[in-house]
Amino acid sequence: MSKGVAITGMGIISAIGNNVAENYDALIQEKKGISRISKIDTIHKDAIMVGEIDTTNEQFFKQLNLPEDNNYGRSALLGVAAAKEAVAHANIKDIVKYSTGLISATSVGGMDMTEQYYYKYLEDESLQKYIEGHHAGDSTQKIAQELGIEKSLVTTISTACSSAANAILMGARLIKSGKLDRVVVGGTDCLSKFTINGFKTLMILSDTYNTPFDENRKGLNLGEAAAYLVLESDAVVKAENKKVLAYVKGYGNANDAFHQTASSENGDGATLAMEKALKVAGMEPRDIDYVNAHGTATGNNDLSEGRALIRVFGEDLPEFSSTKAYTGHTLAAAGAIEAVYSVLALQHNIIFPNLNFNSQMKEFHITPQTQLKQKELHTVLSNSLGFGGNCSTLIFSKEA
Amino acid sequence: MKKVYIQGAGSISSQKTFDNSEFLDEISVYNDTVISVVNPNYKEYIPPAAARRMAKGIKMGVVASRIAMQEANVEQVDAIITGTGMGCVVDSEKFVSAIIDNNEEFLTPTSFIQSTHNTVGGQIALGMGCKGYNFTYVHASNSFESALLDAKMQLELGEASSILVGGVDELGAHTIKIHRLIDHIKENAVTPATLLDSKSSGSVFSEGANFFVLGNALSERCYAEVVSVEMYNTLPLENLEETVEAFLKDNNLSTEEIDVVVMGNNGDVAYDNYYNHISSALFSETQHVYYKHLCGEFNTASSFGMWLGAKILKTQQIPEIVKLNETKASAIKHILLYNQYRGENHSLSLLKKC
């Protein structure tokens, strides 16, 4: 059993940067990564904005030294890029020295290839290599292979928009219980016509920059991204004399049990998830210094999450902001993206602004932090809420 | 650490397994390469209007979990943990083909919503108003084992006392079509009796849902104790023997103490050698049991293997139809389950008589 769950490495690729340093620079320079879509030919291209990563699949093949005839979809490419950065950042030279697992999250999986070749598979044999890449576990298997994780606990979580938070949650539990010494956790999702059209039919895509917690919010921007964290036990940290970036201190998952896609009006699930995470962390709401909210900028999410925040913290809650205005909503990856941002916030004692905010929401009086702010931070709470009523909260701390 | 027992089970499979008072009494024989489930009367469990809207995977999952909960005599659980390789794949197919066929126009959200992998777990929670922990694992042939491991950890550490855990997958027409192209499905029809001797590549594709109520409380109703679950993303054939031995050693058992080995042979000539290898190298005197000739192959087929192992321990009976060899197994105390799919995502699970 390990008391602490140490974060010793991070990797990220998103619309605001190809690594941790670039993401941090964009966050503090308030540079958002939202644009018109360029890599997917969709009829909605003039009606939506997205958080797209510049690197093309072909550029990734070179960057990651993949053979020409690989069957990687874009989620796997993003995932490998970010996971490799995390492992290098944790200064891991020999990954099999300790029992090391991988818990990855995805919702899109290999859908980007499936939607291109769905019927073409039947005629063109050269495309059939992508058939095996469709299922969600495939990108995870590829990441494990590229990291050299063998004969080990490798699995995939898909709980819609809370997926990566749940991968971190499960990883933390595996370290705490002593089942693993080390685990790489996170998530990856690329953009796809499938998700663009899916969210379009739900009428929750904004035609302009997303504006979390704003009275006049028009919906979300989809984004693509991947992020991974290396979690290690106290024993490994000690034996390897590891530098600890932060700790996973608390975690909670609960179900809204309200509606398949909508959150309950009062945020029952989110409230429960935050309460559980505080309990695991042994903390009171007043111990939280900053909340990185899920804040997708849909009418439903921000109202429900805001009410849940008030239920947990009262009207006097710590600074909160959503970073989705920077990256877009990166679905199954979002929890890991925001975990990296939470750790960066702790490391630099800085609160990232909730961009694009103009008008106070009518339903309550809480207002997101809209300016970059220096503040001594000890703890950050991060929410991830998804379809299926799936609500997750993680608490990161400087101290074990 | 607290012990974990299987308190109730619900199985919907290509055999008539939804009635817990039976144990493979009648076998439904096929001569095919793709098989469907023997449907229970869903209307007994779900209002007809709701059932019509539900994807098959949701229906199977909801009803299998209802059966398991009835048997365990519980109305609520602390957590719901689902394993599914593909989720509601029919809805995924519907939405993708609609995007292509209509050039992204005239789409409706229903199939997109249902295609989300955690729909089955979410719908089960919604149906019973369960606000507890709700996870969905989607890792190919280890989807169910991931769910099982998660549940077992929570119960052992006292984080929950009753958890619904299951595996569910449904068949999709296009998925079948394209998996025929890459020989994951057998070219020629087989029967349950000829599956293992087919000497051809691929397996018989299928679907099903097997749900279990796991908990700390031991009662007469319990099937078995879940002692251990381990997963291996890769496992070369040459490391298989030592890995199984190490697994048993971790559980303070020798190969001789295993009374029955439940194996996931699916008749694929390229991959059944894993099963043949451990049965001859480690368990030559042990009773070998298989099941994919009855339930077919799907990402969570190993949840049917767990149902079978649990049922054998509870009844102390081994139906002739699942026996791969003849031994004089008397009292059955320990059952080892081994599964892999196409040489990847191996699992070892250990059940014990309770």
Side-chain angles (χ1 to χ4, degrees), chain A residues 182-256:
Chain A
R182 177 158 68 196
V183 61
V184 180
V185 293
T188 180
D189 256 344
C190 65
L191 285 166
S192 68
K193 271 193 190 180
F194 193 88
T195 42
I196 290 169
N197 282 284
F199 284 92
K200 189 85 190 163
T201 61
L202 291 168
M203 296 183 284
I204 51 175
L205 290 184
S206 170
D207 60 356
T208 179
Y209 298 104
N210 78 81
T211 62
F213 295 104
D214 189 282
E215 172 65 18
N216 302 313
R217 62 198 181 281
K218 295 172 81 177
L220 57 87
N221 302 135
L222 285 172
E224 58 182 355
Y228 289 85
L229 309 163
V230 177
L231 308 182
E232 293 184 312
S233 70
D234 294 335
V236 175
V237 168
K238 198 171 166 213
E240 301 286 316
N241 196 19
K242 275 296 187 49
K243 181 176 176 235
V244 177
L245 311 175
Y247 292 88
V248 182
K249 187 74 180 167
Y251 40 76
N253 173 269
N255 199 282
D256 218 14

Side-chain angles (χ1 to χ4, degrees), chain A residues 29-346:
Chain A
Q29 288 169 30
E30 306 188 18
K31 273 201 285 199
K32 37 185 186 256
I34 306 299
S35 64
R36 293 288 173 202
I37 195 163
S38 72
K39 293 190 175 60
I40 294 176
D41 181 24
T42 166
I43 65 162
H44 307 301
K45 61 179 182 289
D46 297 324
I48 60 167
M49 298 194 82
V50 294
E52 197 174 39
I53 291 165
D54 288 337
T55 314
T56 64
N57 287 6
E58 290 68 28
Q59 287 168 329
F60 276 122
F61 298 165
K62 282 215 177 81
Q63 182 190 322
L64 303 172
N65 291 319
L66 296 172
E68 286 284 308
D69 62 344
N70 74 73
N71 72 341
Y72 273 62
R74 193 164 168 85
S75 296
L77 294 168
L78 302 179
V80 170
K84 277 190 164 175
E85 186 194 6
V87 167
H89 186 208
N91 201 20
I92 294 168
K93 302 278 189 283
D94 179 10
I95 203 151
V96 296
K97 184 171 172 190
Y98 296 99
S99 99
T100 302
L102 170 67
I103 318 288
S104 183
T106 187
S107 64
V108 174
M111 187 55 89
D112 56 327
M113 294 303 168
T114 301
E115 68 191 20
Q116 285 181 62
Y117 306 135
Y118 192 76
Y119 294 121
K120 290 180 189 154
Y121 286 143
L122 304 173
E123 290 136 29
D124 187 346
E125 206 174 325
S126 73
L127 297 173
Q128 291 171 3
K129 64 184 180 182
Y130 292 111
I131 294 172
E132 279 187 276
H134 171 79
H135 72 92
D138 181 73
S139 56
T140 311
Q141 288 290 95
K142 286 182 160 79
I143 296 164
Q145 189 185 348
E146 290 299 306
L147 297 181
I149 295 173
E150 294 168 351
K151 293 183 265 182
S152 192
L153 200 172
V154 170
T155 192
T156 311
I157 292 174
S158 200
T159 52
C161 308
S162 58
S163 303
N166 287 339
I168 296 169
L169 189 162
M170 179 60 172
R173 287 174 46 222
L174 288 163
I175 297 292
K176 254 194 186 176
S177 70
K179 183 94 187 155
L180 291 173
D181 301 321
R182 177 158 68 196
V183 61
V184 180
V185 293
T188 180
D189 256 344
C190 65
L191 285 166
S192 68
K193 271 193 190 180
F194 193 88
T195 42
I196 290 169
N197 282 284
F199 284 92
K200 189 85 190 163
T201 61
L202 291 168
M203 296 183 284
I204 51 175
L205 290 184
S206 170
D207 60 356
T208 179
Y209 298 104
N210 78 81
T211 62
F213 295 104
D214 189 282
E215 172 65 18
N216 302 313
R217 62 198 181 281
K218 295 172 81 177
L220 57 87
N221 302 135
L222 285 172
E224 58 182 355
Y228 289 85
L229 309 163
V230 177
L231 308 182
E232 293 184 312
S233 70
D234 294 335
V236 175
V237 168
K238 198 171 166 213
E240 301 286 316
N241 196 19
K242 275 296 187 49
K243 181 176 176 235
V244 177
L245 311 175
Y247 292 88
V248 182
K249 187 74 180 167
Y251 40 76
N253 173 269
N255 199 282
D256 218 14
F258 170 71
H259 185 270
Q260 188 58 32
T261 56
S263 299
S264 63
E265 205 181 329
N266 293 313
D268 289 351
T271 302
L272 278 171
M274 285 188 270
E275 286 170 352
K276 278 188 184 177
L278 286 164
K279 195 173 165 211
V280 169
M283 288 179 176
E284 298 293 324
R286 64 170 178 274
D287 298 322
I288 300 299
D289 297 320
Y290 162 53
V291 175
N292 184 295
H294 187 57
T296 57
T298 64
N300 177 239
N301 177 83
D302 294 5
L303 178 59
S304 173
E305 187 181 10
R307 283 187 167 145
L309 286 169
I310 294 168
R311 281 172 72 181
V312 173
F313 291 95
E315 298 271 339
D316 185 25
L317 78 172
E319 289 89 345
F320 73 99
S321 65
S322 161
T323 46
K324 298 239 173 15
Y326 285 94
T327 57
H329 186 4
T330 59
L331 304 179
I337 301 303
E338 288 150 33
V340 170
Y341 294 170
S342 297
V343 174
L344 286 170
L346 283 171

Side-chain angles (χ1 to χ4, degrees), chain B residues 91-106:
Chain B
D91 284 284
S92 298
E93 292 181 1
K94 269 189 207 162
F95 201 67
V96 183
S97 56
I99 289 172
I100 301 170
D101 297 347
N102 306 316
N103 191 31
E104 303 183 77
E105 289 183 286
F106 319 117

